[in-house]
Amino acid sequence: MKHLLIVILLLLSLSCCTSKDEKTRMRAGLDSINVRNRNGQPFTVGEVQPYVQFFDDHGTANDRLLAHYLLGLAYYDHGEAPMALQCYQDAADCADTLSADCDYPQLARVYGQMAQIFYEQGLYQEQLISEQQSVKHAWKGGDTLAALMSYAQESQAYRNLNMPDSLLYICEHVSSLYREYGYSAYSAKSLFYTFSTLIYRKEFDKVIKYMRIYESESEYFDSLGNIQKGREVYYRIKGLYYLHTNVLDSAEYYFRKELHYGRDFDNQHSGALGLAELYQRLRQSDSVAKYSLYAYAMSDSLYSRLVTKDVERIQAMYDYTRHQKIAYKEQKKANQRIIIIWICVGIIVVICLLTFIIIRELTRKRKTIEQKYQQSQSAIELAQSDIAKLRNNVEINKELISEKEQIIREQETIMKALLQHDSNSQSLADRRLKSTAIYEKFEQLSVIGQKPTNTEWEQIVEQLFKYYPGFKDLMSKHGHQLNDKEYKTCLLIRIGFKPKTVSYMLEVDPSYISNIRTEMLHKLFNLSGNSKTFDKILKETY
């Protein structure tokens, strides 16, 4: 039982070590995917899912947060925004915000990605809530720049929610905060969404002030005053400023600049509208008609794009429902697996309990049998000692000697029964014989190839008969049929010596030992066979 417990403890410790090594390996793999993400290298859902499954069972809150976040990014990159959103929500749920080591910067990134999906789905109120959560957790994590960037994104939500006062407040406030923390370029960039609102409010002093900051510090403009490709809508805003301040030549210049450099539908549409409004003020009806028609054509294109986006949103919602059904089925399967696991655990526990009970019962039985064997042997030794004393006066003690001999026979019968049916008793007999001084002496003699003395032969016979009563009966019944060398060969083979060693100790040729063993098989057991058969039967005689 003690050995079984040691084995169980060893297996548990090995299991823990394996689990620790596996966790280290899996964390390294997850970190490598995170590095690929930061370097803009793509990765697939299939690459991330094993880490999500592993850390859901074996990871910390931060491990699960990162794994679900990366899975969300993988879904998003593959155009499955609803699944990505679900993964981000799962990631946020994994975060332990009560723990001192909570990865707040990572949690802020999760909410930032959720806000992006809500923006693309036209869910601006949800976008705003997510941005606010991103700001809060970025501040908690000490990531100042990330906090300010998420704060700036709130202005985008307010613009789409048609809340100009909140829009202006956020843009101006975050601009001052950027400047306070030394991010002058970001400070300038954050003023962009203020321009249109301030123009229509006719706060032109602020507009021109912010435009100068934007053009000089945003790092979007080259030395000739041209903005980066893809940001040409700024020319439309600047044209509006000049249009509303009645600097019409400059307004025309910037509207045309937008049409020239901004080749996408949005810029073509807004540039044409600007020129149409300008020419309406100048009362040039032909130009008004020209650019109005052009703006109308662009409107059709924009409308088609909007319809396409709406279809994509509807498709996304359909996909989301489909994925929810898939998730429900997977959850159902997972629950079934959990039930099966618990059943297996229950079966294992029952098996362990039954094994424990069986081992305990076998141990108890073995100890009981060994105790009976030892009691019989002690009784025999005591009776033999008493007989030796009583033989000093045989005539007087004849009856007592007879009683003691009867005790010896009875106890030997018990011992033979135990040895015949119980392997533990056989092992005990073998151990006791091999622990005697005469057995050790015979082992020494076998090593040097020396013959034992007559006294030593008598001593080994005494011990063999003592521990192997069945062998004693065999030799008492058939020993007279054997010559001296055959008799001694039986003794040495029963002790466990090899035939070659036997030949050295008896100083005979090995072939002689082989031949007489075959003959003794017939004499002692009335069987036909080879020498190995004789050795096997003799060694099994207890």
Side-chain angles (χ1 to χ4, degrees):
M1 192 62 197
K2 180 180 178 182
H3 296 302
L4 179 63
L5 289 173
I6 292 172
V7 170
I8 291 172
L9 290 172
L10 181 61
L11 289 173
L12 287 174
S13 65
L14 288 173
S15 175
C16 292
C17 292
T18 302
S19 178
K20 184 177 180 181
D21 293 341
E22 179 70 0
K23 184 176 179 181
T24 301
R25 185 183 69 80
M26 293 296 282
R27 180 67 212 207
L30 185 66
D31 288 338
S32 70
I33 292 179
N34 196 26
V35 169
R36 287 164 60 185
N37 169 50
R38 292 179 179 178
N39 293 333
Q41 298 173 349
F43 50 89
T44 66
V45 171
E47 289 179 278
V48 187
Q49 277 180 330
Y51 298 102
V52 173
Q53 294 167 359
F54 178 84
F55 286 114
D56 275 348
D57 293 331
H58 306 289
T60 64
N62 289 338
D63 293 332
R64 294 192 292 274
L65 169 63
L66 178 59
H68 282 279
Y69 168 72
L70 292 174
L71 183 61
L73 290 178
Y75 273 120
Y76 182 78
D77 289 343
H78 286 76
E80 297 191 50
M83 287 299 293
L85 184 60
Q86 182 63 58
C87 291
Y88 295 145
Q89 289 171 339
D90 291 341
D93 291 339
C94 289
D96 183 3
T97 55
L98 298 178
S99 174
D101 66 343
C102 179
D103 192 351
Y104 284 109
Q106 185 63 61
L107 183 56
R109 285 189 281 275
V110 169
Y111 279 111
Q113 291 295 330
M114 290 173 67
Q116 177 64 26
I117 291 178
F118 286 133
Y119 166 73
E120 292 171 356
Q121 294 295 319
L123 303 172
Y124 305 121
Q125 192 64 52
E126 287 77 5
Q127 176 197 359
L128 182 61
I129 293 171
S130 294
E131 294 290 9
Q132 289 169 345
Q133 288 292 319
S134 180
V135 171
K136 180 178 78 172
H137 294 301
W139 281 123
K140 282 188 176 182
D143 194 340
T144 302
L145 181 58
L148 294 176
M149 291 176 72
S150 292
Y151 187 35
Q153 287 298 317
E154 291 182 25
S155 64
Q156 189 181 58
Y158 284 123
R159 178 170 65 92
N160 289 312
L161 289 169
N162 195 26
M163 300 172 67
D165 292 336
S166 298
L167 166 68
L168 285 175
Y169 172 78
I170 293 293
C171 290
E172 292 178 336
H173 187 215
V174 77
S175 179
S176 65
L177 288 174
Y178 271 131
R179 195 166 297 280
E180 178 182 340
Y181 285 100
Y183 300 109
S184 57
Y186 286 100
S187 175
K189 294 171 185 176
S190 63
L191 295 172
F192 177 80
Y193 287 121
T194 66
F195 297 145
S196 296
T197 300
L198 291 173
I199 289 170
Y200 287 112
R201 289 188 175 193
K202 301 187 182 302
E203 296 183 38
F204 300 124
D205 291 340
K206 267 192 178 182
V207 175
I208 196 62
K209 174 185 174 183
Y210 290 167
M211 281 185 170
R212 286 169 182 166
I213 295 172
Y214 185 74
E215 291 178 10
S216 62
E217 298 181 18
S218 67
E219 300 177 353
Y220 287 153
F221 294 83
D222 62 17
S223 58
L224 299 176
N226 297 313
I227 201 167
Q228 288 179 358
K229 184 173 179 57
R231 301 183 182 278
E232 295 87 354
V233 71
Y234 177 70
Y235 298 139
R236 153 77 173 170
I237 293 169
K238 198 161 186 180
L240 284 175
Y241 165 73
Y242 285 119
L243 181 66
H244 285 270
T245 54
N246 292 313
V247 186
L248 302 184
D249 290 345
S250 296
E252 182 178 8
Y253 171 77
Y254 282 105
F255 289 143
R256 290 190 178 280
K257 193 169 185 177
E258 182 182 19
L259 283 174
H260 181 73
Y261 291 105
R263 306 308 300 174
D264 59 274
F265 289 120
D266 290 330
N267 281 299
Q268 292 294 301
H269 178 256
S270 62
L273 281 179
L275 286 172
E277 187 177 353
L278 170 68
Y279 289 123
Q280 189 173 16
R281 287 197 181 191
L282 294 173
R283 301 181 185 280
Q284 296 181 16
S285 56
D286 291 344
S287 297
V288 170
K290 173 184 174 182
Y291 288 104
S292 293
L293 288 172
Y294 186 66
Y296 179 78
M298 292 299 103
S299 294
D300 284 346
S301 298
L302 285 171
Y303 177 75
S304 298
R305 290 177 61 201
L306 289 173
V307 169
T308 301
K309 285 186 176 181
D310 287 339
V311 170
E312 289 173 351
R313 289 177 185 174
I314 294 170
Q315 180 66 40
M317 292 306 297
Y318 168 78
D319 290 341
Y320 187 47
T321 303
R322 179 173 59 85
H323 284 303
Q324 281 184 317
K325 290 180 180 178
I326 293 171
Y328 172 75
K329 290 180 180 178
E330 292 298 322
Q331 184 62 45
K332 190 174 180 180
K333 289 180 182 178
N335 292 337
Q336 291 173 344
R337 286 195 292 268
I338 291 171
I339 292 171
I340 292 171
I341 289 170
W342 277 113
I343 291 172
C344 292
V345 169
I347 292 172
I348 291 170
V349 170
V350 171
I351 291 172
C352 289
L353 287 173
L354 289 175
T355 303
F356 172 77
I357 292 169
I358 291 169
I359 291 173
R360 186 179 64 177
E361 183 62 25
L362 289 174
T363 303
R364 187 192 63 78
K365 185 178 179 182
R366 176 176 58 80
K367 288 182 178 179
T368 301
I369 292 173
E370 286 183 358
Q371 189 176 14
K372 287 181 180 179
Y373 177 87
Q374 291 172 1
Q375 288 172 349
S376 295
Q377 198 170 74
S378 297
I380 291 171
E381 290 173 355
L382 180 61
Q384 287 174 340
S385 176
D386 291 343
I387 288 173
K389 293 175 183 177
L390 292 170
R391 286 190 188 282
N392 293 329
N393 196 336
V394 176
E395 292 301 326
I396 297 174
N397 300 319
K398 187 175 182 180
E399 290 185 7
L400 287 174
I401 292 173
S402 178
E403 289 178 7
K404 298 296 181 182
E405 288 176 343
Q406 180 62 28
I407 290 172
I408 291 173
R409 285 192 293 275
E410 290 174 355
Q411 295 302 322
E412 283 184 343
T413 301
I414 293 172
M415 284 181 61
K416 283 188 283 187
L418 291 172
L419 288 167
Q420 185 177 358
H421 299 102
D422 183 62
S423 60
N424 290 318
S425 296
Q426 294 171 4
S427 298
L428 180 62
D430 290 338
R431 290 198 304 270
R432 290 199 165 192
L433 172 66
K434 292 178 180 179
S435 66
T436 60
I438 188 62
Y439 179 84
E440 293 176 358
K441 180 65 176 178
F442 265 71
E443 278 196 321
Q444 293 171 3
L445 293 173
S446 70
V447 173
I448 61 178
Q450 184 178 332
K451 289 177 63 176
T453 65
N454 290 333
T455 302
E456 289 166 343
W457 280 113
E458 290 173 1
Q459 291 174 350
I460 198 66
V461 168
E462 180 185 352
Q463 296 300 322
L464 271 166
F465 288 176
K466 175 182 177 180
Y467 291 109
Y468 304 146
F471 181 72
K472 174 186 174 182
D473 291 347
L474 176 69
M475 300 309 292
S476 299
K477 184 177 181 180
H478 300 288
H480 66 279
Q481 299 174 322
L482 309 176
N483 61 38
D484 182 63
K485 283 188 169 51
E486 290 175 335
Y487 192 89
K488 290 177 179 177
T489 298
C490 287
L491 299 179
L492 294 173
I493 292 295
R494 184 62 190 82
I495 290 173
F497 290 137
K498 301 289 184 183
K500 192 173 184 180
T501 304
V502 174
S503 69
Y504 290 152
M505 294 182 72
L506 298 181
E507 296 181 338
V508 296
D509 190 84
S511 62
Y512 172 77
I513 299 298
S514 178
N515 291 332
I516 64 170
R517 282 154 57 217
T518 304
E519 293 172 3
M520 286 190 290
L521 179 65
H522 180 71
K523 288 181 181 181
L524 298 181
F525 304 107
N526 197 28
L527 295 173
S528 299
N530 56 30
S531 55
K532 289 184 179 179
T533 303
F534 170 77
D535 294 349
K536 181 176 183 297
I537 295 174
L538 194 66
K539 289 177 182 178
E540 291 174 351
T541 305
Y542 283 90

